[in-house]
Each structure stands twice: as structure tokens, then as C-alpha cells.
Amino acid sequence: MRKEIDILKGIAILAVVFLHFNGFWFSQTKDFVSSLFFDQLVRFSVPLFIALSGYLLAGKYLSRSLSLIDFYLRRVTKLLPLYLLWSVIISLALSQPITIDSLLWGRADYQLYFVPVIFQFYLLFPLLFFLAKRQRYLLLAIGLIIQLIAFRLLGNLPDQEQYRNASIWIYYFILGIFFAFGKPKIPDFIFLIITLLGFVWMFNNALDAWQHGVNLIVVTLTSRPQVIAYSTGVIGLAIVYGEKLRRLPLVVIGKYSYLIYLCHTLFLRLIFTYLVPQISQGDTVRILILGVSGVILSLSPGILKKLPVTRYNCESAGRRTWQSHIIG
């Protein structure tokens, strides 16, 4: 199953990169409807990442005991080194101050909110896993209610402030845990129907809101309830039909999806510089040098595994190299 998970992560990270590229292109194209269509089409990306994280964690501890100290140390050493490295690199590349606040809440760049959210889920996982073993359907329903209430309460905040709160995503994480205990007893094609109907609902909602003058960021929010329906279908299809994707050449992309997630917006700025030179993206030479240096450091376990924060995981993981630090 590991190969299928890497392929799914490859699909998710490609969707994330396309989402951010298309988001920039929104402001440059006259074909708004097509751009909106593709924007909504890939909105499953972050929900899928979060669900896969819950799925992998729960699957791992179905057959072994959960030691809290070991669990939390492993999670920190898996995510923190690359996250801190790229937070610093991005801050330097964009001439931004490096502050405790930006590091804690992923403010160095747009997409980094994701890592603090994942850490919030890691803190919650032992409790959620315990509850799922007893009442997974009830837990899933509670997760959905919490996420809907969270959107109602946080929906007026800027998108990034919403996204940094785990309650906006908690249903997806629980959904991943839910699937780890087994597929529900419903026909597989139901997930396809949910996906298609969810997308139609989501796209029409966004298009209607835009036509009535709603701000574009609000129109395309990933936290909208309509996205929940669509993403539920996609996540279900991914888990149920994952084996059908084994031939897709995305394993390597999936293995390095965390690294790609952290650094892709920096390199997108270089692409935008050439596509739309009249819009400044910053000092491109500095961005290029720091970006390439960051990739080299990230792919050099001999350097980063010497950091104190990674030492525990490297010593306890035996043959595993820390390059496999993909979320989950």
C-alpha cells in the first residue's frame, strides 16, 4: 500500500502546485470561468494530504502499541527540520524578518500554515485514535459538525487565519483515521457520485457568488462546506481505488511531496517573473540562489541529520533515512 500512498501524495502535491499557479494566473486571464473551474477542481489537494496523514498514522498503530513519548518525538523529527530550514530560507529570499511568530504559525509564506496545522493534529491523534477504535462513525460525525461550526465561526476571517486553525480541517483528518479501520459497507461507486455532485455544487456556488460581487478569495475558500462534499468523494475514491493507480509515474514525486510543498511557492515566483515581468516578485537572483541551496541542503541527510532535532529519529529508525519525511 505504501506505493499507492506515495502516488496519492504525488497527485495531491501536483494539485497544490497547480492551485497556486492558477491562483496567480486568475489575475492575469480574461477567461475567468475556466480558471475558476480548474481552481475548484484541485481544491481536494490539502484535504487529501490531511486525510492521508490520519490514514497512515492510524494504520501504523493498528498493529502496534502507541507510546506517547516515542510518537511525539518521531513526529517532531520528521517535520520540524525541513520546515524550519525553509521558513528561514523563504524569509531571507523575500527579505522578511525571521520571528518566533512566523515560525510558530507558518507565516513565512502562504502555504506554510499547513505544518502548524499538522502539528495540531499530531497532538490530537492519540485521543482521536482512541475514540475511533470505539465509535468511529460517531467520531466522524462529530468531526464534520466541528468543521462546519468552525467555518461558521471563522468564515469572516482572512483565509490564512482560517486555515491555521485545525478545526477547519479536522473532519478530513478523522476521515483518514476512519478509513484506516476499514471501508464502510457501501458500494464503491457512491464515492464517484459524491465527487461529481460535490463538484457541481461547489463550482456553481463559487460561480454564483462571484457573479454577485463576492470577493474572489471568499469565493474560492477551501473551508467552504461545498468543498467538504467534493473532497469527501475524492478521498473515498483515493482510498478505495488507490491500487488502480500503481502504474502512474508519481512515486518519487510523492516521496518528496513534503519538500515540494515547502519550497514550491518560492520557485513559482521565478516562473511568474518571466510570465508577467511587470509584476515584481522580488530579487530573483537571491530567490534562485537561496532556493537551490535549500534544495541541496534538504536532499543532504548527511548535513541535516546531524541537527539535534533529527538525531532521535535517525538513531531509532534504523535503516530509514530522514529523506522519507513525508507527512504521515
Side-chain angles (χ1 to χ4, degrees), residues 42-110:
V42 295
R43 284 286 161 176
F44 68 85
S45 51
V46 173
L48 179 57
F49 261 131
I50 291 174
L52 289 175
S53 183
Y55 181 82
L56 283 172
L57 285 175
K60 182 181 298 183
Y61 290 103
L62 282 175
S63 58
R64 69 174 73 171
S65 60
L66 175 59
S67 166
L68 292 182
I69 294 177
D70 180 74
F71 172 77
Y72 287 125
L73 282 174
R74 285 180 182 273
R75 297 312 111 195
V76 169
T77 57
K78 276 177 174 287
L79 291 190
L80 199 57
L82 276 183
Y83 169 69
L84 292 177
L85 172 68
W86 280 99
S87 293
V88 170
I89 286 176
I90 290 171
S91 296
L92 293 175
L94 302 182
S95 300
Q96 299 172 163
I98 302 171
T99 66
I100 298 298
D101 179 71
S102 69
L103 294 177
L104 282 177
W105 296 108
R107 299 184 192 278
D109 208 352
Y110 182 90

Side-chain angles (χ1 to χ4, degrees), residues 22-23 25-40 203 206-211 214-217 219-220:
N22 189 60
W25 202 245
F26 248 145
S27 61
Q28 309 302 317
T29 181
K30 296 180 180 179
D31 190 359
F32 176 85
V33 175
S34 295
S35 293
L36 180 63
F37 176 87
F38 289 113
D39 174 273
Q40 296 298 279
F203 177 70
L207 185 59
D208 180 69
W210 173 72
Q211 290 173 339
V214 179
N215 182 278
L216 183 59
I217 292 178
V219 164
T220 58

Side-chain angles (χ1 to χ4, degrees), residues 132-147:
K133 287 193 293 186
R134 284 151 179 79
Q135 290 287 344
R136 64 172 178 145
Y137 284 92
L138 178 60
L139 179 64
L140 185 65
I142 292 173
L144 177 59
I145 292 170
I146 290 174
Q147 187 160 320

Side-chain angles (χ1 to χ4, degrees), residues 2 11 17 52 72 80 95 138 155 176 186 212 238 308 320:
R2 183 70 212 192
I11 293 172
V17 173
L52 289 175
Y72 287 125
L80 199 57
S95 300
L138 178 60
I186 59 175
H212 284 83
R320 293 179 60 195

Side-chain angles (χ1 to χ4, degrees), residues 50 54 57-58 66 68 71-72 75 116-132 139 143 146 164-171 173-174 177:
I50 291 174
L57 285 175
L66 175 59
L68 292 182
F71 172 77
Y72 287 125
R75 297 312 111 195
V117 165
I118 288 296
F119 274 120
Q120 292 173 60
F121 285 134
Y122 287 164
L123 288 173
L124 292 171
F125 173 75
L127 174 62
L128 295 176
F129 184 64
F130 172 81
L131 296 174
L139 179 64
I146 290 174
R164 288 187 179 91
N165 193 310
S167 61
I168 282 288
W169 310 99
I170 192 168
Y171 165 73
F173 189 71
I174 294 175
I177 296 174

